[in-house]
Amino acid sequence: MRALVYRKSVPHYLAGMLAARLAPRRFLPGLAPLALQEIPTPDPARALGPRSTDFAVCRVRMCGICGSDLNLLRAAESLLLEPYGSFPAVLGHEVLAEILTPPADSTLQPGQRVVIEPVLHCAVRGLPLCEPCRHGDTNLCERFTEGDIAPGVVLGYNATLGGGMAEQCMAHRAMLHPVPDTMSDERAILVDSLASALQPALDNIPEKHETVLVLGAGIIGQHLIRCLRALGSTARLVVAARRNFQRDLALAGGADQVLMSPNLAALGQALGARLLKTTLGGGNLEGGCHRVFDCVGSSGSVQQSLLALRARGRYVMVGTAGSLSKADVSSLWFRQLTMTGTSCYSWGMHNGTRVRTYALALELLADPAFPVQGLLTHTFPLTSWKDAFACVFDKKTSQSMKVAFDMRQMVHGSQLAATAQEATA
């Protein structure tokens, strides 16, 4: 089968890092250790032995491109996370697929559509549950490097199970969520990115009187706005965006106000804060918002967040930052701020009930009133992977939001070829 395979290469990694600094909006495929290859189809018995019956073989229909995929190609992810991946690996963890071979004793049927929750926690690895997994915090599993599955937090960074940027992949029974028959593929492919925004929303739901700043209006920022409104939040939502199309989508999703690349004075005015001038720096803010959801995860966005928060405010890092530099953190202690992060998805509290985040994301999307128009902007066949990544790298030109590979054309092509061979025979 055809698959987009990433192979570990220090020279290519360093070249990608340099390219990202010199030309951040250009994807240079010649520098990436990435290639479309023919590889064997998944074989659970060979890969997993006695546990193979717990796994399904799935035919991929669509696979989204995530910001973490871009960070890998830009060499921008944390070096400390190297032990939590294994290569060569088929990229892709935002997977919509159909069952080819279901797990043993499963109610799933061949041909049934599923979305794959990609976290490779203790249960998936066949291990006794670690403490976080016992409490349902599977995204915080302590055994992502153990068991009969190669190291990896999610599909796409794991050498055993494969990923979604291929014709087929494997998934444990605990990872499979049936897709309602009434839901389109184009809507279902948004489940994973929606769940990534839904988790921090569930964990940090604002009070109704609060002012909330959402930094970044890419796909996660857009989902976060919609999640807060869907969860019933009536807090005032102020969003900082870079592009006009992002502004329009944020307003359609429920934002009260959108600022376009605001400077400190404009940000302070929108948040009801006073600008305090400093002699050598860019100034400070007094007052401000109650919460910041930082969907960028850069030194600049962290600095902007710390300045924007009022006393005892809460900062939530949603964007997956690695190292940060040149951020003045004096507001952290001076205003007694709280900083927290978020990773993937697990469980959360909603209306007094504990809910599985991935299942709730699927439920939200099943409601036709949940606004997703304009969020899936581009689809590409896997053979056009270079164009797909170029589209995501240069959002200014492409105006891309969520970009996905559409493997249905490849599936249909294979079916047509098989039919032709049968007719010839």
Side-chain angles (χ1 to χ4, degrees):
M1 69 173 184
R2 285 170 290 183
L4 200 54
V5 180
Y6 181 94
R7 297 185 179 277
K8 187 174 180 179
S9 167
V10 173
H12 282 88
Y13 186 89
L14 295 175
M17 183 183 296
L18 179 61
R21 292 177 180 175
L22 298 178
R25 297 210 315 265
R26 287 193 62 192
F27 173 57
L28 302 173
L31 298 182
L34 190 63
L36 187 63
Q37 299 177 352
E38 287 286 339
I39 65 172
T41 55
D43 183 349
R46 183 183 65 234
L48 297 153
R51 291 207 310 124
S52 62
T53 57
D54 288 333
F55 287 78
V57 177
C58 302
R59 175 186 287 132
V60 179
R61 295 178 67 87
M62 300 183 77
C63 181
I65 298 176
C66 178
S68 58
D69 301 322
L70 302 189
N71 284 343
L72 181 65
L73 297 175
R74 287 172 169 153
E77 76 283 0
S78 169
L79 298 179
L80 298 179
L81 298 182
E82 181 185 2
Y84 296 95
S86 52
F87 302 98
V90 178
L91 292 187
H93 64 270
E94 299 184 358
V95 188
L96 167 68
E98 60 187 62
I99 298 293
L100 285 178
T101 306
D105 302 320
S106 172
T107 58
L108 295 170
Q109 299 297 316
Q112 188 170 358
R113 292 184 306 153
V114 293
V115 285
I116 300 176
E117 186 173 354
V119 180
L120 307 177
H121 48 79
C122 286
V124 175
R125 295 177 172 277
L127 299 171
L129 301 188
C130 65
E131 184 174 353
C133 285
R134 285 198 302 272
H135 291 93
D137 298 324
T138 52
N139 56 334
L140 303 178
C141 177
E142 297 175 344
R143 293 174 175 164
F144 284 133
T145 63
E146 302 176 27
D148 55 5
I149 294 174
V153 176
V154 294
L155 288 181
Y157 305 95
N158 172 264
T160 302
L161 298 181
M165 296 181 191
E167 294 183 75
Q168 297 180 24
C169 67
M170 292 185 288
H172 188 269
R173 62 171 69 247
M175 302 164 68
L176 303 172
H177 297 260
V179 175
D181 293 338
T182 55
M183 186 182 296
S184 69
D185 286 358
E186 288 75 14
R187 201 172 179 95
I189 193 58
L190 296 172
V191 170
D192 192 271
S193 53
L194 180 62
S196 296
L198 183 57
Q199 190 68 54
L202 288 169
D203 292 342
N204 302 276
I205 193 73
E207 301 290 337
K208 62 181 180 181
H209 69 276
E210 292 185 348
T211 295
V212 176
L213 175 63
V214 177
L215 283 179
I219 186 62
I220 299 299
Q222 298 291 342
H223 280 321
L224 185 54
I225 296 163
R226 289 156 175 79
C227 287
L228 290 172
R229 293 308 188 209
L231 295 175
S233 174
T234 58
R236 180 168 176 258
L237 299 185
V238 178
V239 179
R242 297 183 65 188
R243 317 289 181 207
N244 289 337
F245 75 96
Q246 295 174 334
R247 175 199 61 204
D248 296 342
L249 285 170
L251 291 171
D256 292 298
Q257 184 178 0
V258 180
L259 309 174
M260 302 303 294
S261 302
N263 60 23
L264 192 60
L267 184 64
Q269 183 177 15
L271 299 178
R274 291 185 293 120
L275 177 63
L276 306 178
K277 295 182 179 180
T278 54
T279 302
L280 299 179
N284 201 348
L285 294 178
E286 183 62 58
C289 61
H290 300 82
R291 296 174 194 252
V292 174
F293 291 91
D294 180 1
C295 300
V296 179
S298 68
S299 298
S301 65
V302 171
Q303 182 68 86
Q304 195 172 33
S305 300
L306 295 179
L307 295 177
L309 284 165
R310 62 173 59 213
R312 298 189 186 279
R314 187 173 184 86
Y315 167 87
V316 184
M317 179 176 281
V318 182
T320 53
S323 60
L324 301 172
S325 61
K326 298 181 180 179
D328 186 327
V329 298
S330 57
S331 294
L332 179 61
W333 55 265
F334 185 63
R335 295 198 173 105
Q336 295 184 217
L337 304 178
T338 298
M339 299 184 74
T340 187
T342 184
S343 177
C344 297
Y345 17 69
S346 54
W347 294 72
M349 295 299 297
H350 177 48
N351 291 335
T353 302
R354 189 165 170 79
V355 295
R356 189 171 178 179
T357 306
Y358 223 79
L360 180 57
L362 193 57
E363 181 182 325
L364 292 176
L365 285 170
D367 182 355
F370 188 81
V372 299
Q373 185 175 0
L375 296 186
L376 177 64
T377 54
H378 299 77
T379 60
F380 293 85
L382 191 61
T383 49
S384 298
W385 62 274
K386 296 177 183 179
D387 295 331
F389 281 108
C391 175
V392 183
F393 266 64
D394 189 1
K395 290 182 173 64
K396 180 179 180 180
T397 301
S398 68
Q399 296 194 358
S400 63
M401 189 61 63
K402 172 54 66 180
V403 178
F405 289 110
D406 187 344
M407 254 67 79
R408 293 170 296 182
Q409 298 176 23
M410 297 170 66
V411 170
H412 294 159
S414 300
Q415 290 174 339
L416 289 173
T419 301
Q421 289 174 357
E422 291 173 4
T424 302

